């Protein structure tokens, strides 16, 4: 049995060496599948979240998103989107924190849970806790139909990433982000914060997303070169601001999980409040910085650590004016992402961690001590 | 001039080797001074925050705390206190994040800023941004009278920590926490969430605080032993839950700032969602875990990394049933902290970073690339 399972897995892998690599490359398809029914209409329908979605979502006053690990990073991006696009106050909290503290419930808040498996123990317990406190409305974003979170939530959105085998989440994350973006637009429409014109622009951006990601995947050879210089490092510092700060966190988590490099993320503005002391040639700084102003600030912050060998690696977009120079390396993503920029910037970070792990020879799909779904506390 | 300044500084230092050490040991005094006028009354007076405080604080619907670095950690603890004690929704955000994103203003929110110097550039800009968005009410907690934040805020509380010379903040942080605790009780009283009996218990706990900290400072020899085993590490993982999670963050930041050890903090429940893969003999795990249940969970989580040499260092309280065993070391704090437990647990973490830095021979009071007050972006 074991042998035939292996063979089945090998067959599934096709030309890929690992499931993680396969799943990274499947993202254009996973996103297109997740969006297929949604974009088949000529406007976004609230009922993609359930038949009662329109009436429930019209009445909510705030959004509270609860998740763990990678899903929590999706929650953090969604907070920026929901406040900016829908003008609704939004908080994101780690499930194990929420369930064990005294919080102030608001029956008019929407509790949103996110989990690839829909079975994450802390997230399930947090949802139960929220209901016990009097929260009436819940929505979940999962990748597994009939999962516990879907059964226990009033509304739901099923991502169509397909089975995710690699322990380090990739396509589940980007499809979660798309689902959350749809939620932000839907909430914005219901509150008249999103005009018909804006809605059409958002829909167009979503239609172009799979193809944009396909273009970004072509950066793999450039990312491999960076991975080669990373694999021998013990540390890395990831910086981002705004909607890209959670992506810096996700990039750091990926590197931790599979390459065992101690990568940590900070909001870029906090660099001078502590972590700058750590930067030297053993701790490269990776900036997710589509914005020129931020890059300039980072360059000036890092000026003083150049003497200690501090190196800056920047993921910029096509309009950024930065170019590589001693101590600063740049990979430029094609196109401009707008609100979807966090999704685009996720891709090279996934590739970076994957190739760093390959260099180190770790067990990419099954990193030590981590389980695919954390179904116990 | 340079020589005489040095002599003046040396004289001020007394028997201490560094200002940081002196400032750690000054905390019982700094806290007593900060509380002196407050506790001279037989009840907590809202006017400790300003003459209009009672009317302003009675009308607010939520609290939004904005700060950078160590002050942000104080903000995070305050969020737990304000939601738990006053039953008012509270958010904490890094100033450089808040000022650059689209947020949803609420004119009935109280904007709270925290800064030792009262001159932190991002925090000042964030306050200005909040006002521009229509926020009418602001309160600041600073250690420097007549500072820009005090001038630009409607209400204020001046901590009486005295001048803080060491770049790594110690006594400013614990006095900020006390000020924020006073704010939580005051808000709770104004909303009838804090009974007269509870108020008296809180005031009693505050009266006992300086002496409790004096007792905890006596743990220094035990902490020095831990510091000796830490100084040769490259990494450390700090874990906490609830009101102790920000203290884990503060402990990690201190170690980063002055000993250049790459310490990172996680909410304890997130360990299995990634960082557990990193733990080995080079990455000790420090848990701020007064609660037995949490300790048991951590021990079971870490069981599997014992084979890789993973070591757990626990700060527990006197009622915890944990004792040292192979792979697990325990320092027990005298007494029980209740809501003030985060303040008590800060002290040994300050001592740990100080003595780790001493072992490494770094410039404790002036760590590389960091400024005492970050008055530029």
């Amino acid at each position: 049995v074991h042998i035939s399972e292996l063979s089945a897995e090998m067959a599934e892998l096709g030309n890929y060496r690992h499931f993680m690599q396969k799943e990274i490359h499947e993202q254009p398809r996973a996103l297109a599948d997740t969006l297929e029914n949604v974009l088949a209409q000529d406007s976004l329908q609230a009922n993609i979240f359930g038949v009662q979605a329109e009436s429930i979502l019209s009445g909510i006053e705030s959004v509270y998103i609860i998740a763990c690990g990678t899903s929590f990073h999706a929650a953090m991006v969604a907070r920026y989107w929901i406040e900016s696009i829908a003008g609704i106050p939004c908080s994101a909290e780690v499930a194990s924190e929420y369930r064990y503290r005294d919080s102030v419930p608001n029956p008019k808040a929407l509790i949103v849970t996110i989990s690839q498996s829909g079975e994450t123990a802390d997230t399930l317990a947090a949802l139960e806790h929220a209901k016990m406190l009097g929260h009436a409305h819940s929505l979940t974003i999962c990748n597994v139909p009939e999962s516990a979170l879907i059964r226990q939530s009033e509304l739901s959105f099923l991502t169509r990433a397909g089975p995710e085998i690699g322990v380090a989440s990739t396509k589940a994350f980007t499809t979660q982000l798309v689902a959350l973006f749809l939620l932000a637009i839907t909430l914005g429409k219901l509150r008249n914060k999103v005009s018909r014109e804006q809605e059409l622009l958002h829909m167009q951006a979503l239609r172009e997303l799979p193809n944009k990601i396909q273009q970004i995947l072509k950066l793999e050879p450039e990312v491999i070169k960076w991975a080669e210089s990373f694999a021998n490092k013990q540390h890395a510092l990831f910086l981002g601001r705004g909607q890209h700060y959670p992506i810096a966190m996700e990039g750091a988590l990926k590197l931790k999980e599979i390459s065992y490099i101690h990568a940590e993320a900070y909001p870029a503005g906090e660099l001078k409040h502590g972590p700058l002391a750590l930067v030297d040639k053993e701790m490269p700084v990776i900036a997710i910085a589509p914005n020129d102003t931020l890059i300039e600030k980072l360059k000036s912050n890092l000026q003083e650590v150049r003497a200690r060998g501090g190196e800056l690696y920047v993921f910029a977009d096509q309009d950024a004016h930065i170019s590589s120079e001693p101590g600063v390396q740049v990979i430029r993503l094609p196109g401009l992402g707008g609100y979807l920029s966090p999704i685009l910037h996720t891709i090279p970070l996934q590739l970076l961690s994957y190739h760093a792990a390959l260099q180190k020879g770790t067990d990419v799909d099954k990193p030590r001590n981590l389980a695919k779904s954390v179904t116990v506390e």
Side-chain angles (χ1 to χ4, degrees), chain A:
Chain A
V1 173
H2 193 230
I3 289 164
S4 68
E5 264 178 17
L6 260 183
S7 313
E9 282 203 353
M10 305 265 284
E12 261 184 73
L13 265 177
N15 290 325
Y16 296 105
R17 286 182 63 179
H18 296 94
F19 282 99
M20 183 182 178
Q21 188 189 21
K22 177 168 176 266
E23 288 157 5
I24 291 171
H25 284 270
E26 277 172 355
Q27 287 176 108
R29 175 82 272 145
L31 290 164
D33 288 349
T34 298
L35 288 166
E36 189 182 8
N37 295 332
V38 176
L39 297 180
Q41 317 289 323
D42 66 356
S43 72
L44 279 184
Q45 306 296 320
N47 68 12
I48 58 174
F49 297 101
V51 285
Q52 303 175 73
E54 185 161 341
S55 71
I56 292 168
L57 297 181
S58 298
I60 62 134
E61 268 180 6
S62 63
V63 178
Y64 213 98
I65 319 182
I66 298 168
C68 301
T70 289
S71 301
F72 174 64
H73 300 153
M76 288 180 71
V77 175
R79 173 169 162 265
Y80 289 92
W81 285 341
I82 289 171
E83 297 220 342
S84 176
I85 296 171
I88 300 179
C90 181
S91 300
E93 188 164 11
V94 164
S96 61
E97 287 292 296
Y98 175 74
R99 61 181 286 210
Y100 285 116
R101 74 175 178 95
D102 295 334
S103 57
V104 183
N106 175 359
K108 290 195 170 170
L110 176 70
I111 300 291
V112 176
T113 56
I114 314 172
S115 160
Q116 188 279 132
S117 66
E119 307 285 346
T120 311
D122 278 322
T123 310
L124 272 164
L127 175 59
E128 202 173 315
H129 179 72
K131 287 180 184 175
M132 201 195 65
L133 292 178
H135 282 108
H137 301 302
S138 57
L139 182 155
T140 193
I141 293 169
C142 294
N143 194 41
V144 177
E146 308 300 323
S147 63
L149 276 174
I150 289 190
R151 289 194 309 271
Q152 284 160 39
S153 300
E154 200 178 24
L155 303 174
S156 62
F157 184 94
L158 190 68
T159 52
R160 289 175 61 190
E164 193 178 61
I165 311 290
V167 164
S169 180
T170 52
K171 62 182 183 172
F173 178 66
T174 45
T175 53
Q176 284 167 355
L177 284 172
V178 154
L180 290 159
F181 185 64
L182 293 171
L183 178 62
I185 304 170
T186 303
L187 290 169
K189 275 182 66 177
L190 293 172
R191 303 194 130 210
N192 297 317
K193 292 273 182 182
V194 172
S195 67
R196 175 66 183 150
E197 193 187 346
Q198 287 169 319
E199 179 186 5
L200 289 173
L201 287 172
H202 291 318
M203 288 179 80
Q204 186 54 30
L206 285 168
R207 279 198 188 91
E208 291 167 5
L209 184 63
N211 189 45
K212 275 194 178 171
I213 290 185
Q214 201 67 63
Q215 297 305 310
I216 289 169
L217 286 166
K218 292 184 186 158
L219 295 171
E220 195 161 6
E222 282 185 66
V223 175
I224 289 173
K225 275 186 211 147
W226 281 16
E228 283 164 359
S229 66
F230 267 78
N232 62 352
K233 303 296 181 200
Q234 301 264 356
H235 310 270
L237 188 63
F238 283 69
L239 300 175
R241 172 169 282 173
Q243 60 176 357
H244 296 98
Y245 166 48
I247 301 306
M249 294 179 75
E250 176 60 9
L253 179 60
K254 286 283 95 79
L255 208 59
K256 272 194 182 95
E257 285 179 309
I258 60 164
S259 74
Y260 314 147
I261 292 171
H262 186 187
E264 180 173 9
Y266 260 87
E270 286 286 279
L271 182 62
K272 302 167 310 309
H273 292 278
L276 191 57
L278 293 185
V279 177
D280 61 16
K281 69 180 184 338
E282 291 310 314
M283 187 180 231
V285 177
I286 300 96
I288 297 96
N291 176 306
D292 277 341
T293 325
L294 181 54
I295 296 171
E296 286 311 315
K297 279 179 198 157
L298 286 178
K299 275 170 72 174
S300 90
N301 290 162
L302 286 169
Q303 214 85 60
E304 28 193 332
V305 299
R306 280 295 301 136
R308 287 208 307 277
E311 293 268 349
L312 181 60
Y313 295 80
V314 182
F315 289 102
D317 68 24
Q318 70 174 23
D319 275 11
H321 294 90
I322 188 172
S323 49
S324 296
E325 59 181 84
V328 182
Q329 298 200 48
V330 182
I331 289 182
R332 210 176 291 273
L333 271 60
L336 292 170
Y339 279 119
L340 298 180
S341 176
I343 303 181
L344 304 183
H345 280 82
T346 298
I347 313 300
L349 296 175
Q350 294 169 341
L351 291 170
L352 184 65
S353 65
Y354 174 69
H355 287 289
L358 268 197
Q359 292 284 327
K360 294 193 75 167
T362 58
D363 188 351
V364 171
D365 285 331
K366 287 174 184 154
R368 61 190 189 191
N369 295 316
L370 300 182
K372 178 62 189 162
S373 305
V374 183
T375 53
V376 293
E377 261 194 78

